[in-house]
Structure formats: structure tokens, C-alpha cells
Amino acid sequence: MTAPAEILDCRGQRCPLPVIAVARRLPELPVGTVVRVLADDPAAAVDLPAWCRMRGQEFLGTVTGPDGPAYDVRRRH
Amino acid sequence: MTGSTVLGSLSAPHRGDLGHTRAIALTPVSASPVYLDAATAAPLHPVARQALLAALDDGWADPGKLYAQARRARQLLDAARAATAETLGVRPDELSFTPSGTAAAHGAVLGGLSGRRRVGTALVHSAIEHSAVLHAAERHVAGCGTAAEVPVDRLGRVDLDGWAEAVRAPGVALAALIAASHEVGTVQPVAEAAAACAEAGVPLYVDAAQAVGRVPVPAGWSVLSASAHKWGGPPGVGLLVVRKGARWESPWPADDRESGRTPGTVNLPAVVAAAASLRAAAADAAAEAARLTPLVDRIRARVAAEVPDVEVVGDPHHRLPHLVTFSCLYVDGEALLHALDRRGFAVSSGSSCTSSTLRPSHVLEAMGVLSHGNVRVSLHRETTEADVERFLAELPGIVADLRAEAGVVGL
């Protein structure tokens, strides 16, 4: 799996804020970049993949580490 | 919300008070209320009101006693049972009235499992069952039973291959499938699921809360539950139907009322009202479905076309006639509900911020669809085309304002 180039710390934020954070940041990065989103709102697990599908971006998966649930997203276009 | 409604109606006689007039003058919008949450509770059917009032005078005695007042109550209860059984196409002795749809669902799951515990301890259920069913499943698992969840597709339709495989597994005591999703309206393939259960020799429990009084429920089930306030009956009445020959054993302490399936004296006036309104709703069901389906289709089409970045969810064709769900990207569900409420629209949401647990709806989660900014609109016999048009006219502006406030326009 590609290592994330950047980490967006959205812990403590309620949905839709983590999704908004990705939507703001991803277009500023080069195509192919992977961003890791730290989000402890359980809705993020549903909404980040759904956003990727709606926006044609790539959802790479969920990685749960010491910082809690994390979600990797790759800019595809 | 319920509390303030009750307080509102209690304070109605003071409508002329200066304070009230001032409150109205200060309220920016005085739009008439449009109630679009029938899937939670439909407004009381006029037939239910009539029957309830009559039964309050006539049906207060304990139907189990041996005197004239009790016999009158017994007649009412028997008539209510006969009418309801006839509407459902079942035998009267297969039907019990419970204190709620939730109690009926709990009894259906736990009693169905208990009755077959010699066969096994496994429960199979879809991922989109009502929380009442899932909570009963949790209780079963806590008591050393097991539960296997069958996934649904993006449209909210249960995976039939997965279902057939799950019910064929050894030790399955009961399978539970909701007739149609209470959150997204997708009608489930109950007949096919029932066939798979029959082949495996596993009884099927169908939670028909959103179907009874609106759409036919396919045959093939062994246990069924429903809830009166979903079809315009009063709250506090559920139906539990156990077909003849089905193995079902009461999970509750012994009580001989209602064929021993649910303890306690029934709320007879409410039961009579439930029965009367079910008969009326069932008689009008086909016409109501024909009237509401195009309105739901209109909401699905117009919301998708006129609200940017919205996901209309649920099966577009195999769906309930009265219920439609969509999610608005970047919008906070709670803020959207409050904004709609300020404009007079009462709707529900599966977004996490609107739930007491702060978890997103397990139904939306199972479907893999957007859970934030979620709205469920459900129509009923009093919903007019004008109500729907007003909702459709105001929604795009409400969503746009919320997005502008949140600074997410153009994302």
C-alpha cells in the first residue's frame, strides 16, 4: 500500500467535517497522492468511502492504529 | 419533539394571549406544518379516532372476567382480532395484540429462537433489520446464542445467495427478514427468502411494520410482527402473528392472555382503534399506493435534479409507495432537520448526529451510502401534492443556505 503523503487529523470532528476536510485538501495535492484521515466519528467509516465513490476518488482502506481509525484516500484525478 | 407537541396542544386555548401573538410575529416563517414522517408514526386515521372514543366507553372492563361488562369487552376484543386476522389473511388464534411493535418484534425473535432451541441456537438476519430486531438478537447472543448477518447491496436489497447459504448452515433456529426497509423503502425479496428458508426447514420471521396496511406481504413466513401507529392506528399496539405449526415459545414470564404470547391486559380501546383503522387502511391501500408512488417518484427525481451533490438512496423500483430517502453531501443532518423544522417540515434522518448513540444508521452503513445530511421523507393519507411541491420548492434553498454557512460550496 502506498504510504500516505499527508495526515489529516480530524479526530474529535463530527461528520461531515472529516469528509469536508478531505474534499478541501485532496485537490490541492498532485494526482496519485495518498492522504490518511484520522477520524473517530463512526460515520467517517461510511462517509469517506461514499464520498470517494461519488467523487471518483480512490478509497484505499481503513487502517486502525494507535491513533484510532484511519482512512487512506488517493487522488485519482 | 413529542413533548413540545403535547405542550403546544395543551396551550392551544391561550392562542389569544399577547405572548403567543408576539411569538408568532417574531417567527420569521409561519408556514403551515407539513408532516412527512409517517414511517415513524402516521397521523391517527379518523376511523381510529372514532373507534377509540367509542371503545373508551364500551371496552374498559377486563375481557377475561365473567360479568356483563367483561363480556362486552370480550366481544370487542374478539371482533378486533377477527377483523385484523381477516385483513392479514391469518386465523384469529394465530394473532396476538402486543403493547407495541417493538414488543412484538422482541417476542417474535426471542420466542422463535426459544421454540427451536433443540435444533440450534443460531439466528440469521439481514443487515438492515429494525433496531428492535437487532436488540433482540443482541440479547440472544448475550445469552450464548449466535447471530449471522446477511449483507445487502447498494440499493438495500438482501443478498439472496448469502441468505440461502446462511439459512442452510447447521443449527439455524430462526431467520429474520424485514419486509421492506423502514429507512430507505427497499422492498425485500421475501418470497425468495421464504423459499430458501422452507428448503432448509428454517422458520422465517418477517417484520412487516412498514408493509402492513400499505402493501401485500408475500406468504411463506412463520412469524410476523407489525405496529399500529405505522398505518394510522394509535401508538401502543403491536401485532404478533405465529402461524399454526410454527415452533414458538414465549420468552416472557407465563401469562394466559393473548394465547400466552404477550403478558398483560391489552389496551382494548387502542386495539379496537388499531383494528378499525387497519381495515380502513387496507381497503384504501391499493388506491393510496397508486396516489403516493408518483409523488415519491417525483421527490426522487426532483431532489436528484435540483439539489446538487445529493445521493438518492434505495431501490428505484422495488420500493414502498410512501417512503423516500436521500443524503446531501457536506450537510450536517441535524442542522438540516432543524432547518426543515423551522420551515414547517417534519422528517426523519439516519445521520449519526441525529441519533442518541451518535452512530450513523446501520442501514445506510450496510448499503455503503452517504450517511450524513440524510433525510427520510414518508408520506401518508393526508399528504397532498401541494405539500410535496412545497417541500420540493424549499429544499434546494435550505440545503444551499446550509452549505453556504458551512463554507462548502464548490467543494
Side-chain angles (χ1 to χ4, degrees):
Chain A
M1 188 181 278
T2 318
E6 189 168 314
I7 291 178
L8 289 178
D9 189 352
C10 299
R11 285 174 295 174
Q13 295 181 10
R14 280 187 359 182
C15 257
L17 296 177
V19 176
I20 292 171
V22 182
R24 283 218 171 94
R25 185 62 184 139
L26 209 61
E28 298 169 353
L29 300 167
V31 171
T33 306
V34 175
V35 166
R36 175 165 294 180
V37 189
L38 305 183
D40 47 16
D41 184 327
V46 183
D47 289 353
L48 286 167
W51 177 83
C52 288
R53 178 172 49 76
M54 290 171 81
R55 282 290 187 255
Q57 304 296 358
E58 190 175 0
F59 183 75
L60 295 175
T62 307
V63 197
T64 301
D67 298 325
Y71 309 91
D72 285 357
V73 175
R74 190 198 326 254
R75 182 172 173 194
R76 207 189 242 164
H77 59 87
Chain B
M1 193 182 284
T2 314
S4 61
T5 311
V6 171
L7 288 177
S9 61
L10 285 177
S11 61
H14 305 289
R15 207 161 262 175
D17 284 5
L18 183 61
H20 190 89
T21 312
R22 188 173 295 156
I24 284 178
L26 289 174
T27 307
V29 177
S30 55
S32 60
V34 174
Y35 183 80
L36 299 173
D37 197 18
T40 295
L44 197 67
H45 195 292
V47 164
R49 173 183 298 275
Q50 225 173 16
L52 183 64
L53 290 174
L56 282 172
D57 287 334
D58 246 2
W60 48 267
D62 184 335
K65 297 295 178 183
L66 301 173
Y67 34 74
Q69 296 86 340
R71 280 193 293 278
R72 179 67 193 128
R74 169 58 62 184
Q75 281 174 349
L76 284 174
L77 181 56
D78 289 348
R81 195 183 318 281
T84 304
E86 191 188 349
T87 302
L88 297 174
V90 301
R91 292 166 44 144
D93 60 355
E94 294 175 323
L95 165 69
S96 299
F97 294 108
T98 67
S100 66
T102 298
H106 290 169
V109 172
L110 297 176
L113 288 165
S114 190
R116 298 236 314 153
R117 65 177 175 273
R118 278 172 209 87
V119 178
T121 58
L123 169 69
V124 169
H125 63 83
S126 84
I128 59 158
E129 295 304 300
H130 190 276
S131 57
V133 171
L134 297 181
H135 288 148
E138 283 165 19
R139 166 63 62 90
H140 173 63
V141 170
C144 295
T146 62
E149 187 175 277
V150 180
V152 297
D153 64 13
R154 182 67 43 77
L155 297 178
R157 198 175 144 98
V158 73
D159 168 16
L160 271 176
D161 291 339
W163 176 270
E165 199 185 318
V167 298
R168 268 200 309 267
V172 175
L174 182 72
L177 181 62
I178 194 164
S181 171
H182 57 299
E183 288 202 30
V184 300
T186 301
V187 171
Q188 297 302 312
V190 172
E192 292 88 337
C197 284
E199 204 171 294
V202 170
L204 173 66
Y205 155 51
V206 170
D207 165 10
Q210 294 298 338
V212 166
R214 292 189 184 275
V215 292
V217 181
W221 48 267
S222 297
V223 183
L224 175 140
S225 68
S227 177
H229 69 150
K230 311 294 187 192
W231 70 65
V237 179
L239 306 182
L240 174 61
V241 187
V242 179
R243 297 316 299 262
K244 277 280 166 238
R247 294 238 169 102
W248 186 93
E249 190 179 288
S250 174
W252 319 121
D255 192 299
D256 58 1
R257 284 165 284 210
E258 294 300 297
S259 304
R261 296 191 194 106
T262 178
T265 307
V266 296
N267 179 352
L268 184 54
V271 162
V272 170
S277 54
L278 176 58
R279 193 158 48 182
D284 291 343
E288 271 297 276
R291 185 179 77 85
L292 296 179
T293 299
L295 292 178
V296 161
D297 288 345
R298 189 187 305 188
I299 295 172
R300 287 180 64 89
R302 290 262 300 275
V303 166
E306 294 170 19
V307 180
D309 289 326
V310 74
E311 186 166 44
V312 179
V313 302
D315 194 303
H317 307 297
H318 303 290
R319 53 180 308 100
L320 288 169
H322 68 297
L323 194 160
V324 47
T325 307
F326 53 87
S327 297
C328 306
L329 195 57
Y330 309 136
V331 174
D332 180 288
E334 189 178 17
L336 182 51
L337 248 55
H338 287 317
L340 285 166
D341 180 44
R342 282 196 295 276
R343 308 287 300 185
F345 299 107
V347 298
S348 261
S349 172
S351 296
S352 55
C353 46
T354 66
S355 83
S356 55
T357 57
L358 292 179
R359 287 198 65 85
S361 140
H362 66 278
V363 175
L364 302 176
E365 189 175 358
M367 293 166 65
V369 297
L370 200 66
S371 80
H372 67 246
N374 180 258
V375 170
R376 179 187 71 182
V377 172
S378 49
L379 317 181
H380 51 89
R381 56 184 294 284
E382 293 172 16
T383 306
T384 63
E385 186 181 3
D387 292 339
V388 169
E389 276 301 322
R390 212 188 99 206
F391 177 77
L392 289 172
E394 297 202 28
L395 179 73
I398 291 169
V399 172
D401 286 350
L402 289 171
R403 284 177 173 153
E405 276 169 36
V408 295
V409 178
L411 275 188

